[in-house]
Amino acid sequence: MPSEKLLSQVLKEFAQTLLTDVPSQAILDGLVERIVEVLPITSAGVTLIVPGGDPEYIAASDPAALRYERLQTLLREGPCLTAYESGDAVAVPDLRLETRFPTFCARALAAGLRAVFTFPLHNGNERFGALDLYRETPGALSDDAVDAAKTLADVTSVYLVNARTRHEMQELASAQSDFVSKISHELRSPLTGVLGYAELLIDGAPGMQNKEQLRMLGVVERNSRQLLALIEDLLTMSRIDADEDDLKIGTVDLRDVIAHVQDTTAPAIAKAELDLIIDLGPDVRLEGDQEQLERAVLNLVSNAVKFTLPGGQIEVRTRTTGDDIAISVRDTGSGIPIAEQNKLFTRFFRGRQAKQRQVQGTGLGLYIVNHIVQSHRGVMQVTSSPKGSTFTMVLPIHGPSAGIPDARDIREPVPAGSPSR
Ligand code: ADP
């Protein structure tokens, strides 16, 4: 009789695997091994069967189970197929007395097998395989052992259905991301052309366009720029999804990063009638990816510009503490409601203010900033009040590969109000 305690331990372990991302093969192999410990059997295996398809064994507790599974699938004969077809458990307590699967019995007996107990795997009315329990001595299973085996077959079914759903969802997500990436690439080239020609016409010979035409060309240029920014964000998002976002690490001088951001944002800052203050600390160098860091600081400053009213102030500040360098962007905007603060780094999140005031944006900016900071093994911090917000990127001076990677791997963004680390 199986030990109740052992069985409940196996069920508990198994329930936990439903929530993990451990590859399903390792989980299945572990499960069949544990089934052998719980029940009075010598080995166990799992076979999947689809209507009209070839049966396929997917797990075996040891080489003997693998031989028996292979035998049943190659011969297309044995208790596994009978259990699948009938939907009922099949018990063969003594292979020498069994007449339903003569070829399988003869070969399995020659290989040392004496008894088989098979339980169908199912999801409601849909049957999709069987759990085979093998024993090298003859004899029936006790009622308790049969009950325990049924329970284990049920959890195996639940696991397989869950793994299949997860696999399908991953495939779907990856297909969507491929689609976004392809479309974005296709859109980028013609749009760059539109933007280029609009700029040429605006800068064209004086008098070539009248005032109204220049105004319309300005609209074309602005809209093209916005669309290009959206396409860049979507491309970055699909690169992040596909894990293709490699860093080009080198020595970065923050003076260059900030000068680039200052140049890029100067027209928008002037238009919004804001003051930009730069306050650099004594150490301005770190190991990192210059282009990516420029993008992150640019996103933060662009947000500050969007959410600060005319006459306000934006400050970009760098400071060093220990082995970290902090780059913060502070604004005197109206702040971020507490309820929104823990959603800021979620992709496509746009706050109420952004939607109400129809501020341009995709909700990808902070998601990308956070990804850049995390891939540098840094952490984002946010503080916000009705007087303004401060977004801080805390980065390791010696680069992503220095320090204690494992601990930093799991650093999450720190929302406003939380003590900094
Ligand atoms: P978007 O590309 O739409 O700007 P982000 O991810 O950069 O998206 O920002 C998400 C949301 O966070 C914005 O819609 C806004 O509600 C809020 N937010 C970001 N930065 C600021 C800021 N400096 N001040 C106020 N709200 C901000």
Side-chain angles (χ1 to χ4, degrees):
M1 187 184 121
S3 141
E4 292 274 320
K5 209 166 152 209
L6 199 51
L7 178 63
S8 74
Q9 175 64 26
V10 172
L11 293 179
K12 197 168 132 202
E13 281 169 19
F14 203 59
Q16 280 161 359
T17 65
L18 294 176
L19 303 172
T20 68
D21 275 331
V22 177
S24 43
Q25 191 59 54
I27 291 173
L28 277 174
D29 289 344
L31 176 74
V32 286
E33 280 165 25
R34 298 291 270 140
I35 288 176
V36 176
E37 286 170 27
V38 175
L39 295 171
I41 54 172
T42 38
S43 54
V46 176
T47 284
L48 289 187
I49 306 172
V50 285
D54 289 330
E56 186 193 351
Y57 54 86
I58 54 164
S61 61
D62 56 28
L66 193 62
R67 267 198 304 281
Y68 307 141
E69 288 293 308
R70 201 178 277 154
L71 206 52
Q72 297 200 70
T73 50
L74 284 178
L75 293 173
R76 291 168 161 272
E77 183 197 281
C80 159
L81 285 101
T82 307
Y84 166 75
E85 274 154 18
S86 66
D88 294 323
V90 172
V92 185
D94 190 340
L95 254 70
R96 286 169 303 187
L97 309 176
E98 180 56 57
T99 54
R100 283 175 289 178
F101 349 93
T103 318
F104 167 74
C105 286
R107 297 221 192 152
L109 276 165
L113 185 67
R114 289 292 172 272
V116 189
F117 307 93
T118 295
F119 297 84
L121 301 176
H122 56 88
N123 176 27
N125 289 333
E126 179 210 5
R127 293 193 291 275
F128 56 85
L131 168 69
D132 294 304
L133 309 178
Y134 301 108
R135 200 156 68 182
E136 292 175 352
T137 50
L141 285 182
S142 68
D143 288 348
D144 282 345
V146 169
D147 283 347
K150 278 187 182 149
T151 307
L152 289 165
D154 285 346
V155 288
T156 308
S157 301
V158 169
Y159 177 72
L160 288 170
V161 170
N162 183 52
R164 186 174 62 188
T165 311
R166 262 201 307 195
H167 179 71
E168 281 164 5
M169 282 168 66
Q170 276 162 1
E171 297 234 301
L172 187 69
S174 137
Q176 274 174 349
S177 157
D178 273 1
F179 175 74
V180 168
S181 162
K182 283 200 185 92
I183 294 286
S184 307
H185 272 292
E186 293 301 320
L187 286 173
R188 191 160 58 169
S189 313
L191 199 55
T192 311
V194 172
L195 181 61
Y197 278 106
E199 282 169 350
L200 279 177
L201 284 169
I202 290 169
D203 298 341
M208 203 168 120
Q209 281 87 32
N210 65 33
K211 228 173 152 189
E212 182 56 11
Q213 284 171 331
L214 270 178
R215 190 191 65 75
M216 289 193 282
L217 281 169
V219 174
V220 173
E221 190 210 8
R222 265 197 313 283
N223 286 322
S224 309
R225 267 191 207 293
Q226 271 164 21
L227 271 178
L228 264 184
L230 165 66
I231 288 167
E232 289 300 336
D233 281 354
L234 288 174
L235 276 172
T236 306
M237 188 189 78
S238 55
R239 273 201 299 272
I240 294 174
D241 283 349
D243 249 347
E244 284 169 0
D245 215 30
D246 289 339
L247 294 181
K248 294 178 200 72
I249 300 295
T251 301
V252 178
D253 188 325
L254 288 177
R255 284 172 298 196
D256 297 337
V257 170
I258 290 167
H260 167 82
V261 173
Q262 228 175 333
D263 286 349
T264 317
T265 53
I269 287 179
K271 193 169 169 222
E273 297 168 34
L274 300 171
D275 254 353
L276 177 67
I277 299 167
I278 308 290
D279 174 6
L280 294 176
D283 301 308
V284 285
R285 282 179 220 277
L286 79 155
E287 291 301 300
D289 182 320
Q290 167 131 2
E291 212 175 293
Q292 299 250 19
L293 292 178
E294 279 173 1
R295 179 143 193 216
V297 179
L298 180 63
N299 279 2
L300 294 181
V301 174
S302 305
N303 276 351
V305 175
K306 286 194 286 191
F307 294 100
T308 308
L309 293 175
Q313 203 181 59
I314 298 171
E315 184 187 38
V316 181
R317 187 173 194 264
T318 70
R319 284 294 180 272
T320 315
T321 15
D323 285 337
D324 288 334
I325 194 155
I327 309 165
S328 51
V329 177
R330 182 182 62 78
D331 64 55
T332 55
S334 54
I336 304 160
I338 287 181
E340 291 182 359
Q341 287 177 9
N342 61 353
K343 302 181 197 142
L344 293 173
F345 299 97
T346 316
R347 57 163 77 173
F348 300 119
F349 173 75
R350 307 202 62 225
R352 198 158 49 94
Q353 238 196 104
K355 289 186 209 150
Q356 269 173 359
R357 285 178 37 210
Q358 298 193 335
V359 176
Q360 293 286 348
T362 54
L364 284 173
L366 289 176
Y367 170 76
I368 292 170
V369 172
N370 190 41
H371 174 79
I372 293 172
V373 170
Q374 279 187 342
S375 55
H376 279 80
R377 298 200 192 285
V379 69
M380 279 304 294
Q381 295 174 348
V382 188
T383 55
S384 189
S385 77
K387 290 189 179 153
S389 311
T390 306
F391 286 80
T392 305
M393 305 160 50
V394 183
L395 301 161
I397 292 176
H398 302 295
S401 45
I404 30 166
D406 289 348
R408 289 192 190 254
D409 262 341
I410 49 164
R411 288 159 86 180
E412 290 293 326
V414 182
S418 306
S420 58
R421 62 193 179 94

